[in-house]
Amino acid sequence: MSTEDKSVRKRYEQLADELARQILDGVLRPGDRLPSVRATCEARQLSPSTVFQAYYLLEAKGLVRAMPRSGYFVNSHAKKRAPEPARSTPREGAHAVDITDLVFEVLGAAKSREIVPLGSPCPHPQLFPLDALRRSLTTSTRKLSEWSAVDDLPPGNERLRQQIGKRYLAHGLDLSLDEIVLTNGAMEALSLSLQAVARPGDAVVVESPCFYAALQSLERLGLVAIEVPTHPGEGADLSELARIVERDKPKACWFMTNFQNPLGCSMSREKKRALVQLLARHAVPLIEDDVYGELYHGGRAPDSAKTFDRSGLVLHCCSFSKSLAPGYRVGWVAAGRYGREVRRLKLMTSLSGSIPAQAALADYLQQGGYDRHLRRLREVLSNQKQALVDAVTRHFPVGTRLTRPEGGYFVWADLPWEATDAMTLHRLALAEQISIAPGPMFSNQGDFRNCLRLNFGHPWGPQLEKAVQTVGRLARPRPRQHVPPAPVDDRAI
Amino acid sequence: MSTEDKSVRKRYEQLADELARQILDGVLRPGDRLPSVRATCEARQLSPSTVFQAYYLLEAKGLVRAMPRSGYFVNSHAKKRAPEPARSTPREGAHAVDITDLVFEVLGAAKSREIVPLGSPCPHPQLFPLDALRRSLTTSTRKLSEWSAVDDLPPGNERLRQQIGKRYLAHGLDLSLDEIVLTNGAMEALSLSLQAVARPGDAVVVESPCFYAALQSLERLGLVAIEVPTHPGEGADLSELARIVERDKPKACWFMTNFQNPLGCSMSREKKRALVQLLARHAVPLIEDDVYGELYHGGRAPDSAKTFDRSGLVLHCCSFSKSLAPGYRVGWVAAGRYGREVRRLKLMTSLSGSIPAQAALADYLQQGGYDRHLRRLREVLSNQKQALVDAVTRHFPVGTRLTRPEGGYFVWADLPWEATDAMTLHRLALAEQISIAPGPMFSNQGDFRNCLRLNFGHPWGPQLEKAVQTVGRLARPRPRQHVPPAPVDDRAI
C-alpha cells in the first residue's frame, strides 16, 4: 500500500469513527440524516471518495442505511448499543482462593483449532510479525556470545533492557535499567512481584472480576484474595479500596489498570494518580499488570499507574506475549524499590530467561519495526472489536450489557438474569465447538454466572459471526435444556 | 615477567608437581630421601636454583621436610592423597529455612570473568556445541508454526518430548509422553514438583549438605527442611532416612541421586532401589534432581531412582542446562502420577516454555550429535577433575579431605579444623579475584564451615593451578588475619 493510500484510508476511518461516536453519544439520533456527501466534502476538505468510504463503513457496521435518492440515515437500532454492565458487588472481606477445573477446561478448548475461539485467552497468531521475528532470531543467534548464559543472568539481557528502558522513556518514565528484571512472560513477573511484597497468609486486593491467573497465583502462594468492587468502564472503586486498605491491611494490590482482563475497562489518568497516592499513603505496593497497555485502539497511549509512582511502590509488569511474540515468553517487571528482591527471586526461581528469545527480541526492537507493527495491530483489533460488538448486539438476548473497551481484545457481556447460566452456556457452546469464557472463571466466589468474556483477537468472518449467533441462541432461556458433558479433555493441557 | 622467567618458573613447578605425584602414588614413600640437589641438577639439566625452588615448594606444602646436612625427606603424613570426608551430622528435626546473602554474593562473583571460577555453579561455556545449537536454532526457527504458541502449551513441544522419551527408553524406562512436562530449566521442574506434592508448612527431607537452590525453593514455598545425614561418597543415610520418615512424616524427599551438588557423591544402584522401596512403603514422593546424570566420567551411565519406581511416586527432574545448552533454560520433569498436577502448575506458573529454545533442542537431538558431544564432554570433565584433585592435593593444607566424584564437575573439600574458616577463606580469596563456594552455602544451619565446593568445569591451566595454590596458602592458619569486605556487589545479579 502506498503512502497516499494509507493517508486516504486513515482519513475515511477518522471520519467514520467521528460519526459513529456522534451516533452512540446521541448527537446523531435514529432517523437523523447524515450530512450530504457534498456538504461533508466541502466542510472538511475531503474528496467525495473518502466521504463515501466512510459512509459505506458506517453502513457495513449497521449504524446507518442508505435511502435511495435521499442520503444516509441513522438506523433505529443503532441509537444505543448494548449498555454497559453495572459495578460488581463482591462479598466483603478476605477469602481463601479456590481454583476449579473450569479454567483448565476452558484453556484446554483454546488448544484445539477445531473450536471457535470466543473464549480463548490469546489473539490469533497471524496478528504478529512472525517472519520478522524469525529473521531477528536467526540474526541474533549468529551473534550469541558463548558467555551469554552467564551475562544474561538476572536482571537479564542488557540490550533488551535498554530497548525496554527507551520505550519507558518515550512515555516520560526514566527508569534505572537495574530496576527492570526480565522474566518468563508477565506471569512470572507477577508471581515474583507477589513474592517480593507478600508472605503466605497475607491479603492481596484484586479486581472483581479479575484475571483467573491472578487468583491462581494467590492460591499457589498461600495468599488471600480481597475482591474490590469494580466498575466495568472505570476499574476498581477507589473509595471501596480505601475502606479495604484501612480495614484489612492488605500487603498489595494487583490491578490491571489498562484494558483489564476480563472487563476491558481502564482507569482514567486521574484515577491512576489517585490510586497511586492512596496506596502510597498506606505504603501498600501496587502490582500493576499492564500487559495490554500497548493495545490501545484510540490515538493516544494510556498512561500506567507507574507514571505517577514517586515512592517506588509500583511494580509494573509487562510482556511481549500479547503485543509481539506469543510463545517467546519474555516479560519483565519494572520493580521500583523491589528491584533487588525481584532479581534475587528470579535467580532463585528459574535462574534466567531463555537466552535466544531475549536476544531475538532485542534485535527486533533495535531494527525499529515494533511501533509500525503495533499501529497495524491496534487498528486490526479495533475493527474486530467493532465487528464483535455489532454481532453481539445483533444476536444476544435483549437486555445484554456489554463493556466498551478502548484497547486489548476482550469484551465482557453481562446477560439478562433470565438468560442461560454462563456455566451451562459454556457447556452448550462447547458441544457446538465454540468456546466462551464463563464469568465464574474470574471470581473466587463463583460470581458472574450471567457473564461471559468474549475474545475479538481473531480475524472476523462468517465463522465467528455464526458462532456469536449460536451463543446468542443458546443464551435465550428455553423450557428444558439438555446439558451435555464437556467434550474437551484437559489431558491435552 | 619475561618469557624466560615464565619458563623457569614453570620448570621448578613442573619438577615439584612430578615429585608430588611420585609421593602421592607411593613411588616416594614416607621417610624416603629426595634425590640430592646436585644429582637432580645433573639428571635433569636444571640449575641448582630451580631444583631448590621445587624442594622449597614441596616443603611449603608439607609434603617433604629438610633435615640439616642430610637433604629432603618425604613426610610421614604425605603418603596418601586427601582422604574422603566423613558423613555429615546435621542437627536432628525440622528447621525453618533461612537463606542468607551468601549465595548471592558467590553467584555475583560467578558473573565476573575477572574472577577465577573455582566457586562457580556453571561449567565453561566452550564445553558446549554452541555452533551446532545455533544451526538448530536457525533451522527450527524457519519451520516454526504460527500455532506453536498454542500447540506448545504444557506439557510442551511434542517433538522434544519424543526425543526425551527416546532417551529414557534407551535407559530402559518406557514413560508416557504425557508424564513428561517441559519446564524453564530444572529449577522450575523442581519447584513445580515441590508444589505438586507439598503445601506450606509441610516438611521435606534434603541431603546435608545440599544444593542451596533446594533450600531456597523450600523457603520460598513456606516448606520446612529436614536434613538427613549424608555420606560424601554414597549419599543420604537410608537408616537415618527411615527414622525421619517414621518420626517426622515428611511430604517428600528432594535428593540428587547422581553426582550430588555439592558433594559429587552418587547412590549405588542398590541404594537407589532401596530408597524407592522405602519411600513407596510410606507413600512419600521422591523428587529426584538428576541434572548431572549425563555427566558420568566412567564408562557406564548411572541409573536413576526413577528406574525402580513402580508406584509413580518419583518425579524425575532434569535439564539440558548442564549437559548441552546452558541459557536455553529447557528442563523437564517425568512426574509419574503427578503428571497432570505438574502440567496444571506449569500452566498457572509460567504458561509455557520459550518456544524457540524448545524447537532448537528438538532439532538438535533429532540430528543425532548429542551422544557424541556427551562422550567428549565426559572425557574433558574427567581430565579436569584429575587436574583439580592433584592441584588441591599439592596445595591445600595437610589433612584436607576430598570427595571422589565419578561425574559432574564439583568436588567437596573438607579442610582440617585448624584451617581458615570457609567464610573467611571466601572473602580472602575474593580479594585475590578467586571465587570458592564456602560450605555454609549448602546448609540451613550454617554447617560445613571447614568445607568448600570447587568447580572443575573449566579448562585447566596455570591460572587455575595458581588459584588453587593461592586458596591453599590462604587456608593455612595464620596468627592474625585481616579480612577485607567482599568486593563483589550483588547489584550485578
Side-chain angles (χ1 to χ4, degrees):
Chain A
M1 191 183 280
S2 73
T3 315
E4 201 195 331
D5 285 344
K6 241 186 182 166
S7 74
V8 170
R9 195 170 61 76
K10 254 191 172 162
R11 265 185 251 138
Y12 87 78
E13 289 208 328
Q14 279 168 2
L15 175 59
D17 281 357
E18 193 181 320
L19 292 170
R21 209 167 303 120
Q22 290 182 7
I23 293 169
L24 296 172
D25 292 344
V27 178
L28 285 166
R29 302 204 294 181
D32 280 358
R33 204 179 80 120
L34 298 193
S36 73
V37 172
R38 174 189 302 231
T40 306
C41 287
E42 279 171 16
R44 298 172 177 255
Q45 301 287 307
L46 294 171
S47 72
S49 87
T50 300
V51 178
F52 268 118
Q53 278 183 79
Y55 285 14
Y56 291 157
L57 187 59
L58 290 171
E59 191 176 27
K61 287 180 184 172
L63 292 175
V64 304
R65 66 187 186 287
M67 301 279 276
R69 280 182 301 279
S70 305
Y72 285 84
F73 291 82
V74 177
N75 270 331
S76 56
H77 61 261
K79 65 168 181 262
K80 276 280 163 242
R81 274 181 299 177
E84 282 196 76
R87 199 197 74 165
S88 65
T89 50
R91 274 186 299 153
E92 284 203 350
H95 300 276
V97 180
D98 178 29
I99 295 300
T100 66
D101 292 348
L102 177 60
V103 169
F104 293 98
E105 203 175 282
V106 173
L107 291 176
K111 271 193 91 161
S112 165
R113 270 171 248 163
E114 308 304 311
I115 292 179
V116 185
L118 286 172
S120 168
C122 312
H124 193 282
Q126 81 180 34
L127 296 180
F128 300 106
L130 299 177
D131 282 335
L133 286 169
R134 278 191 200 110
R135 283 193 298 274
S136 284
L137 199 49
T138 305
T139 309
S140 60
T141 295
R142 248 183 263 125
K143 294 183 284 191
L144 263 190
S145 148
E146 62 176 14
W147 286 104
S148 50
V150 174
D151 295 339
D152 288 359
L153 284 172
N157 185 301
E158 191 172 2
R159 278 174 58 226
L160 182 54
R161 285 183 300 118
Q162 280 165 352
Q163 290 295 323
I164 292 169
K166 273 189 193 169
R167 298 190 66 81
Y168 274 114
L169 206 55
H171 285 86
L173 263 165
D174 189 4
L175 302 181
S176 147
L177 287 194
D178 275 354
E179 174 186 340
I180 299 170
V181 184
L182 301 182
T183 57
N184 296 322
M187 272 169 71
E188 194 186 48
L190 292 158
S191 169
L192 297 178
S193 296
L194 274 176
Q195 292 173 62
V197 301
R199 295 283 161 272
D202 286 344
V204 174
V205 186
V206 295
E207 290 139 335
S208 168
C210 87
F211 179 34
Y212 48 79
L215 297 173
Q216 291 173 321
S217 287
L218 296 184
E219 187 200 19
R220 220 171 42 247
L221 298 169
L223 298 166
V224 172
I226 302 177
E227 298 185 66
V228 65
T230 301
H231 187 278
E234 298 153 19
D237 185 314
L238 291 198
S239 52
E240 293 286 346
L241 178 63
R243 253 175 16 99
I244 289 170
V245 166
E246 295 272 3
R247 186 187 61 201
D248 300 318
K249 313 281 179 223
K251 283 296 188 301
C253 289
W254 171 336
F255 287 171
M256 209 178 260
T257 49
N258 291 311
F259 321 125
Q260 195 252 14
N261 178 3
L263 290 173
C265 66
S266 297
M267 286 188 180
S268 68
R269 187 176 155 84
E270 274 322 303
K271 194 165 180 178
K272 282 170 187 150
R273 190 201 305 270
L275 168 68
V276 171
Q277 288 170 349
L278 166 66
L279 295 181
R281 279 197 299 280
H282 295 83
V284 175
L286 172 63
I287 299 172
E288 183 178 26
D289 181 353
D290 198 13
V291 294
Y292 301 104
E294 291 282 18
L295 304 184
Y296 53 92
H297 302 167
R300 215 184 100 74
D303 291 298
S304 61
K306 180 86 178 167
T307 312
F308 306 107
D309 184 26
R310 299 287 166 269
S311 44
L313 282 166
V314 178
L315 300 101
H316 189 241
C317 300
C318 293
S319 95
F320 294 108
S321 303
K322 315 292 186 188
S323 54
L324 177 60
Y328 279 52
R329 306 304 305 144
V330 177
W332 72 91
V333 47
R337 63 164 79 169
Y338 302 99
R340 179 167 177 270
E341 184 60 20
V342 169
R343 268 192 321 270
R344 288 182 161 209
L345 283 164
K346 170 65 185 162
L347 198 65
M348 286 195 276
T349 307
S350 55
L351 205 60
S352 72
S354 187
I355 282 166
Q358 292 187 12
L361 291 182
D363 183 273
Y364 176 86
L365 293 181
Q366 229 159 5
Q367 299 299 323
Y370 189 35
D371 282 306
R372 200 165 52 243
H373 154 69
L374 282 175
R375 278 194 295 276
R376 206 182 48 232
L377 175 61
R378 290 170 192 140
E379 195 184 317
V380 167
L381 290 177
S382 177
N383 292 340
Q384 290 173 183
K385 171 183 69 182
Q386 200 51 56
L388 177 68
V389 167
D390 290 348
V392 168
T393 306
R394 274 194 293 279
H395 299 302
F396 270 39
V398 173
T400 297
R401 292 157 177 271
L402 209 56
T403 54
R404 302 271 179 277
E406 287 302 318
Y409 49 85
F410 295 125
V411 292
W412 180 251
D414 188 350
L415 274 58
W417 66 268
E418 70 274 12
T420 310
D421 168 272
M423 293 300 301
T424 307
L425 192 54
H426 155 62
R427 277 159 218 285
L428 290 169
L430 261 191
E432 308 240 9
Q433 301 286 82
I434 301 164
S435 75
I436 56 169
M441 280 175 80
F442 305 97
S443 159
N444 67 347
Q445 304 174 23
D447 289 343
F448 308 109
R449 295 188 70 90
N450 279 314
C451 299
L452 316 174
R453 185 193 69 185
L454 297 171
N455 177 314
F456 57 80
H458 293 250
W460 194 256
Q463 194 199 29
L464 278 169
E465 178 79 32
K466 191 160 176 297
V468 172
Q469 187 174 22
T470 303
V471 175
R473 174 171 55 73
L474 295 171
R476 267 175 240 126
R478 286 177 300 175
R480 276 186 146 252
Q481 287 163 354
H482 167 65
V483 182
V488 173
D489 183 344
D490 93 314
R491 268 178 307 180
I493 61 170
Chain B
M1 191 183 280
S2 73
T3 317
E4 202 195 331
D5 286 343
K6 243 187 184 165
S7 75
V8 169
R9 197 173 59 77
K10 254 193 173 160
R11 265 183 252 140
Y12 87 80
E13 289 206 329
Q14 280 168 2
L15 175 57
D17 281 358
E18 192 181 319
L19 292 170
R21 208 166 303 121
Q22 290 183 6
I23 293 168
L24 297 172
D25 294 343
V27 179
L28 284 166
R29 303 206 293 180
D32 281 357
R33 204 180 78 121
L34 297 193
S36 73
V37 173
R38 173 189 303 230
T40 306
C41 288
E42 281 172 16
R44 296 173 182 255
Q45 302 288 307
L46 294 172
S47 71
S49 87
T50 301
V51 178
F52 268 118
Q53 280 183 79
Y55 285 16
Y56 292 157
L57 186 59
L58 291 171
E59 191 176 24
K61 289 180 190 167
L63 291 175
V64 304
R65 65 188 187 287
M67 302 279 276
R69 281 181 302 276
S70 303
Y72 286 85
F73 291 83
V74 177
N75 271 329
S76 56
H77 58 257
K79 65 175 179 252
K80 274 275 161 246
R81 274 188 294 185
E84 283 196 76
R87 198 197 74 165
S88 65
T89 51
R91 275 186 297 152
E92 284 203 351
H95 301 277
V97 179
D98 177 29
I99 296 299
T100 67
D101 292 347
L102 177 61
V103 169
F104 294 98
E105 204 175 281
V106 174
L107 291 176
K111 270 192 93 161
S112 164
R113 270 170 248 165
E114 308 303 310
I115 292 178
V116 184
L118 286 171
S120 168
C122 313
H124 194 283
Q126 80 180 34
L127 296 181
F128 301 105
L130 298 178
D131 282 334
L133 286 169
R134 279 190 201 110
R135 282 194 298 275
S136 284
L137 200 48
T138 306
T139 311
S140 60
T141 294
R142 250 183 262 124
K143 292 183 284 191
L144 264 190
S145 148
E146 62 176 15
W147 287 103
S148 50
V150 173
D151 295 340
D152 288 359
L153 284 172
N157 185 299
E158 190 171 3
R159 278 173 59 225
L160 181 54
R161 286 184 298 118
Q162 280 164 353
Q163 291 295 322
I164 292 169
K166 271 189 193 170
R167 297 190 67 82
Y168 275 114
L169 206 56
H171 285 86
L173 262 166
D174 189 4
L175 301 182
S176 146
L177 287 194
D178 274 353
E179 175 186 342
I180 300 170
V181 183
L182 301 182
T183 58
N184 296 322
M187 272 170 72
E188 193 186 47
L190 292 159
S191 170
L192 297 178
S193 296
L194 275 177
Q195 292 174 60
V197 302
R199 296 283 161 270
D202 286 345
V204 174
V205 186
V206 295
E207 289 138 336
S208 168
C210 86
F211 180 35
Y212 49 80
L215 297 173
Q216 291 173 321
S217 288
L218 296 185
E219 188 199 20
R220 222 172 40 249
L221 298 170
L223 299 166
V224 172
I226 303 176
E227 298 186 64
V228 65
T230 302
H231 188 279
E234 297 153 20
D237 185 314
L238 291 198
S239 52
E240 292 287 344
L241 178 63
R243 254 177 11 103
I244 289 170
V245 167
E246 294 272 5
R247 187 188 60 201
D248 300 317
K249 313 282 181 226
K251 283 296 189 299
C253 289
W254 171 337
F255 286 170
M256 208 177 262
T257 49
N258 291 312
F259 321 125
Q260 196 252 13
N261 178 3
L263 291 172
C265 67
S266 298
M267 286 189 180
S268 68
R269 187 177 156 83
E270 273 323 302
K271 195 165 180 179
K272 283 170 186 148
R273 190 202 305 271
L275 169 67
V276 170
Q277 288 170 348
L278 165 65
L279 294 180
R281 279 197 300 278
H282 294 84
V284 174
L286 172 64
I287 299 173
E288 184 178 26
D289 181 353
D290 198 13
V291 294
Y292 301 104
E294 291 282 18
L295 304 183
Y296 54 91
H297 301 167
R300 215 185 99 75
D303 291 298
S304 61
K306 180 85 180 167
T307 312
F308 306 107
D309 184 24
R310 298 288 165 268
S311 43
L313 282 166
V314 179
L315 299 101
H316 188 241
C317 299
C318 291
S319 96
F320 293 108
S321 303
K322 314 293 186 188
S323 54
L324 176 61
Y328 279 52
R329 305 306 303 146
V330 179
W332 72 91
V333 45
R337 63 164 80 168
Y338 302 99
R340 180 167 178 270
E341 184 61 18
V342 170
R343 262 188 332 263
R344 289 183 160 207
L345 283 164
K346 170 66 185 162
L347 199 65
M348 286 195 275
T349 307
S350 56
L351 204 61
S352 72
S354 186
I355 283 166
Q358 292 187 9
L361 291 183
D363 183 274
Y364 176 86
L365 292 180
Q366 228 159 3
Q367 298 298 323
Y370 188 35
D371 282 307
R372 199 167 52 243
H373 153 69
L374 282 174
R375 277 194 296 276
R376 207 183 47 232
L377 174 62
R378 290 169 193 140
E379 195 184 320
V380 168
L381 290 176
S382 178
N383 292 339
Q384 291 174 182
K385 172 182 68 182
Q386 200 49 54
L388 176 69
V389 167
D390 289 349
V392 168
T393 306
R394 274 193 294 278
H395 300 301
F396 270 39
V398 171
T400 297
R401 293 157 177 269
L402 209 56
T403 55
R404 301 271 180 275
E406 288 303 318
Y409 49 86
F410 296 125
V411 292
W412 180 250
D414 187 351
L415 274 57
W417 67 268
E418 71 274 12
T420 310
D421 168 273
M423 293 300 301
T424 307
L425 192 54
H426 155 62
R427 277 159 218 285
L428 290 168
L430 261 190
E432 308 240 8
Q433 301 286 82
I434 300 164
S435 76
I436 56 170
M441 281 176 79
F442 306 97
S443 158
N444 67 347
Q445 305 174 23
D447 288 344
F448 308 110
R449 295 188 70 91
N450 279 315
C451 300
L452 315 174
R453 185 194 69 184
L454 298 169
N455 177 314
F456 56 81
H458 293 249
W460 194 257
Q463 192 199 31
L464 278 168
E465 177 80 30
K466 190 159 178 300
V468 172
Q469 186 174 23
T470 302
V471 175
R473 174 172 55 75
L474 296 171
R476 266 176 239 126
R478 287 177 298 174
R480 276 183 147 253
Q481 288 163 351
H482 167 65
V483 181
V488 173
D489 182 346
D490 93 315
R491 269 178 306 181
I493 61 170

